[in-house]
Amino acid sequence: MGRDRATLADVARRAGLSKTAASMVLNGREGTRLSAEAHQRVFAAAEELGYRPNVAARSLRTRKTATIAFVSDIVATTRFAGGLIRGALDASRERDHVLLITETQGDAAFEQYAIEAILDRQVDGVIYAAMATRRLAVPPAILGGPVVLLNATSPEQLPCVLPDDERAGAMVAETLLAQGHRDRIALIGRNRQKERDPEISLAAEARLRGIRDTLTAAGVSLCAEVFSPEWLSEHGYAAMRTLLDRPTRPSAVICMNDRLAFGAYQALGEAGLTIPGDISVLSFDDDPIAGWLRPGLSTAALPHEQMGRRAVEILLDGEGKGPWLVPMPLRRRRSVAAPAD
Amino acid sequence: MGRDRATLADVARRAGLSKTAASMVLNGREGTRLSAEAHQRVFAAAEELGYRPNVAARSLRTRKTATIAFVSDIVATTRFAGGLIRGALDASRERDHVLLITETQGDAAFEQYAIEAILDRQVDGVIYAAMATRRLAVPPAILGGPVVLLNATSPEQLPCVLPDDERAGAMVAETLLAQGHRDRIALIGRNRQKERDPEISLAAEARLRGIRDTLTAAGVSLCAEVFSPEWLSEHGYAAMRTLLDRPTRPSAVICMNDRLAFGAYQALGEAGLTIPGDISVLSFDDDPIAGWLRPGLSTAALPHEQMGRRAVEILLDGEGKGPWLVPMPLRRRRSVAAPAD
DNA sequence: CAGCGCCGCTAAACTGATTTAGCAGAGCAT
DNA sequence: ATGCTCTGCTAAATCAGTTTAGCGGCGCTG
C-alpha cells in the first residue's frame, strides 16, 4: 500500500534546498524569510514528484492526526446510524479530517478495547454517539481530549448535539390544531420506562412535553393516551385497535414514532377506515417507510445528517458548550386533514 | 488526547533494560536470547505504567498501521451499509484492526480525495464497497496494496465478496414449488436497465436466473413478468394491480425486493385479497419492514453482516481470489402457503 | 592458552516529518 | 575597521517506536 512515495527529503533535494525549507514552504509558515523563488522551486518539486506527506511521521511529531474517532454504541441495528455517519463524514472531509469508526455494542469490554484502539492512534477528538437519544456515561479515558456527544447527554455536561424533540412535539400539535382538531386527539406510544429513564430515551418525554404544552396553551388536552411497552409496529397496531374500541373515535392520532404509526395504519386499514378522511395520523422520525405508506405519513424528521455534521463542526471548530438542538423538520405528506365532522 | 502516556523508553528504564530489549519482549520476538527474568521485568514494568505503544511511531518504521480503509460509494442512503460496516468492524476487532471510513458518493473528486486521505495514512488494506451489488472500476491508486471488493466485482478480477443471489433465486422458486405452486407463479420487478447493465446491478439477473433455472427444471415457467422502472414500493403497487387485472390471477408472486413486495401488499389489501390465502408472496433482501408486515414477509436475506466480515477476513488472512459467494438465508415468515384451489 | 562460539544484552541507525537554534553574508552605522 | 542587524537559509534535535550490528564475558575445545 503506497510504497515508493516521495518524501520531503526528495522534494528538498529536487528543489535544491533543505528539508527545513521545504517543510516550511509546504506548510505555508508565516514569518519565514524564504525567497519567492525558493517557494516556487519547492512547490514545483512537490508537484513533479506527486509528494504527499506521511501522516504517521507528521503526527509523531505534532501529535495531530487529522483523524476523528466516531464511537457509537450500535451502528448496524438502526438505520439512523447511516445518517449520523454520513453527516460526520461530510463535515470531516470539508475540514480535511478522516473518520475512525468503532462500536461498543454497549459492552464494557468492547468499549474498553475501542477506547484503547483510538487512543493508541492519537485521534484528535472523539464523537461519542448513541443510537437512541439518551443520557450515558462517558468513559473517563477519553475525557483527556475533545469530546462531543452525539444524540446523547452526560452528567459531565460535555458539549452535545441532540434533536429538538420538544419543538417537534409542538409542531406536530400545532399542525393538528391548525387543521381544526381539538378534543379528539389521541396519542400512541407513551411508555413508562422510556419516558422516565433518561438512560434509555430522552425523546419520549421531550416530544410529549412539546405536544402537551402546545395543546394546553390552546385550551385542549389529549383525549386518550395508549401506552406501549416498546415502539414496534405490532404495538402500534394493538394500540390503534384499543383506541377504535372506545365509544368516541379520535379525529387524529399522534404516534411517538413511525413504526407505531405503521402498525396504526394496518389497524385502520383492517377496520376499513381511511387516512386522513376518517382519522389523521402524525408521527416522528421520518423512517423511509413513511414515504412508502399510502397515504404518505406526515412526520417530524430526525435530522441525523445535520446532527452528525454539527458534531464534527463543534468538535473541530470548538464553539462553547451547547447543548445544541438541531431542528426536526416536519415532512408534510398526506396523512393529515381537517376532522370529518 | 492521550498525553502523558508512558513510552517504550519509560518501560525499559523501569525494567532496567534497553529499549531494544523492551521492544523485543513486548513484541514476543522469537529467537531472542533474553532471559526469562528480563521478560518478567519488562512485562511488569509495562503493566505498571499502563504502557501502550504509539501506533504512529510504530507504523513509521514498520509501514503497518493495523488500520483498514472502508471505502464505499454511499453509506447513508441505504440501510444496508450498517450491516456491512458492522460485520467488517467485528472481524477487524478480532484481528486487532481498526476501520477508517470514507465515502465517495460516486463523485470522482470525492473519490480522489478519499483515496489520497487513506494512502496518506498508510492503511494496510482497502475494502471497496458498493451499496448495490454491481461491477465497478477500481481507482488504480489503491491497486498497490491489498484490496477486497465488497458487494461488487471489477474487470481486474480482484478478490470480491458477493451475495449468492442466484442460489437465493433458486431457493425462492423451490419454496413455491414445494408448496404446490406450478403454473401461476408471477414475477414483479424485472427491469431492463438493472438486469442488463452490470454497472448498475448484478442482483436482478442472478436472482432471475436462479428462479428460471429451478422452475424450468421442474417443467414450469413463470405465468407473468411485470417490469418496473425502479424497485420502489409504488412500482410494486402498480405492478400488482396490473397482475390482478389479468384474466387469471396468480397463485404466488415473487418480488425482486422487499420494497416492491411492500407495494404489492398494499395493492392486495385494497383489492380485498389475503396473503397467503389468496396469493403467496416471496421476496428478496429482508428489509426490516419484512418483519413488520402482516403477515410477515418471507424473503431471502441479504447477509450484509456476513459479507462485511468475510471481506475483512479475506483482506487480512488472504485466501486466494474468490469470488466468494455468501449464502442468502431464506427467512420463512407467513406470506407463503399452498395455492387455494 | 589461544581461538571459537554462544549467551544475554545494548548502542545506534532508521522511519519521515516538524521545529529549534543558529550560521554565513550583506548592508549599514559608528 | 568594527559592530550590529537583517536576510535567507540549514544542521541537528525531536517524536516513539523497530531493527541491525555488535560487544563483553563465559565455557569449551584443540
Side-chain angles (χ1 to χ4, degrees), chain A residues 52 79 96 113 120 144, chain B residues 3 52 79 96 113 120 292:
Chain A
R52 304 224 93 224
R79 70 194 65 199
D96 264 330
Y113 177 86
D120 291 352
Chain B
R3 318 140 285 195
R52 303 225 94 224
R79 71 194 64 199
D96 264 329
Y113 177 87
D120 291 353
W292 308 352

Side-chain angles (χ1 to χ4, degrees), chain A residues 1 3 5 52 55 66 79 90 96 98-99 101 105 113 120-121 123 144 259 266 289 292 294, chain B residues 1 3 5 52 55 66 79 90 96 99-101 105 113 120-121 123 144 259 266 289 292 294:
Chain A
M1 201 93 265
R3 320 140 286 196
R5 288 166 58 113
R52 304 224 93 224
V55 174
R79 70 194 65 199
D90 276 359
D96 264 330
V98 116
L99 233 51
I101 301 204
Q105 296 183 28
Y113 177 86
D120 291 352
R121 287 172 179 77
V123 299
R259 285 213 297 282
Q266 291 172 325
I289 50 153
W292 307 353
R294 301 175 65 85
Chain B
M1 204 93 263
R3 318 140 285 195
R5 287 165 61 110
R52 303 225 94 224
V55 174
R79 71 194 64 199
D90 276 0
D96 264 329
L99 232 51
L100 203 60
I101 300 203
Q105 296 182 27
Y113 177 87
D120 291 353
R121 286 172 180 75
V123 298
R259 285 212 298 282
Q266 291 173 325
I289 49 155
W292 308 352
R294 300 176 65 85

Side-chain angles (χ1 to χ4, degrees), chain B residues 10-17 21-28 32-49 51:
Chain B
D10 296 331
V11 173
R13 197 172 315 120
R14 184 173 193 109
L17 289 164
S23 171
M24 287 174 156
V25 168
L26 292 174
N27 288 312
T32 176
R33 292 180 301 242
L34 294 161
S35 64
E37 204 224 323
H39 277 78
Q40 279 179 22
R41 289 217 308 275
V42 170
F43 286 130
E47 174 78 76
E48 286 158 26
L49 296 173
Y51 170 72

Side-chain angles (χ1 to χ4, degrees), chain A residues 63-92:
Chain A
R63 300 170 164 283
K64 298 240 160 289
T65 48
T67 302
I68 298 170
F70 186 103
V71 181
S72 69
D73 45 5
I74 309 165
V75 348
T77 324
T78 156
R79 70 194 65 199
F80 300 139
L84 293 176
I85 293 176
R86 139 92 74 140
L89 229 36
D90 276 359
S92 298

Side-chain angles (χ1 to χ4, degrees), chain A residues 1-3 5 52-57 59-60 63 65-67 74-79 82-83 85-86 89-90 92-105 110 113 116-126 141-147 233-234 237 258-259 262 266 270 287-289 291-294 305, chain B residues 1-3 5 52-57 59-60 63 65-67 74-79 82-83 85-86 89-90 92-105 110 113 116-126 141-147 233-234 237 258-259 262 266 270 287-289 291-294 305:
Chain A
M1 201 93 265
R3 320 140 286 196
R5 288 166 58 113
R52 304 224 93 224
N54 178 321
V55 174
S59 61
L60 180 56
R63 300 170 164 283
T65 48
T67 302
I74 309 165
V75 348
T77 324
T78 156
R79 70 194 65 199
I85 293 176
R86 139 92 74 140
L89 229 36
D90 276 359
S92 298
R93 181 191 20 242
E94 287 166 13
R95 286 163 185 72
D96 264 330
H97 280 240
V98 116
L99 233 51
L100 205 59
I101 301 204
T102 58
E103 190 188 33
T104 68
Q105 296 183 28
F110 285 174
Y113 177 86
E116 284 175 356
I118 63 176
L119 291 179
D120 291 352
R121 287 172 179 77
Q122 316 265 134
V123 299
D124 294 347
V126 177
I142 60 173
L143 295 177
V147 184
S233 61
E234 62 253 44
Y237 177 85
D258 293 338
R259 285 213 297 282
F262 179 67
Q266 291 172 325
E270 284 184 14
D287 188 290
I289 50 153
W292 307 353
L293 289 167
R294 301 175 65 85
E305 213 162 310
Chain B
M1 204 93 263
R3 318 140 285 195
R5 287 165 61 110
R52 303 225 94 224
N54 178 319
V55 174
S59 60
L60 181 55
R63 304 175 160 281
T65 48
T67 302
I74 307 165
V75 348
T77 324
T78 156
R79 71 194 64 199
I85 293 176
R86 138 91 76 141
L89 230 36
D90 276 0
S92 299
R93 179 188 26 240
E94 288 166 13
R95 287 162 185 73
D96 264 329
H97 280 240
V98 117
L99 232 51
L100 203 60
I101 300 203
T102 58
E103 190 188 35
T104 68
Q105 296 182 27
F110 285 174
Y113 177 87
E116 283 174 357
I118 63 175
L119 291 180
D120 291 353
R121 286 172 180 75
Q122 316 265 133
V123 298
D124 294 347
V126 177
I142 60 174
L143 295 177
V147 183
S233 61
E234 62 252 43
Y237 178 85
D258 293 338
R259 285 212 298 282
F262 180 74
Q266 291 173 325
E270 285 183 16
D287 188 290
I289 49 155
W292 308 352
L293 288 168
R294 300 176 65 85
E305 213 162 308

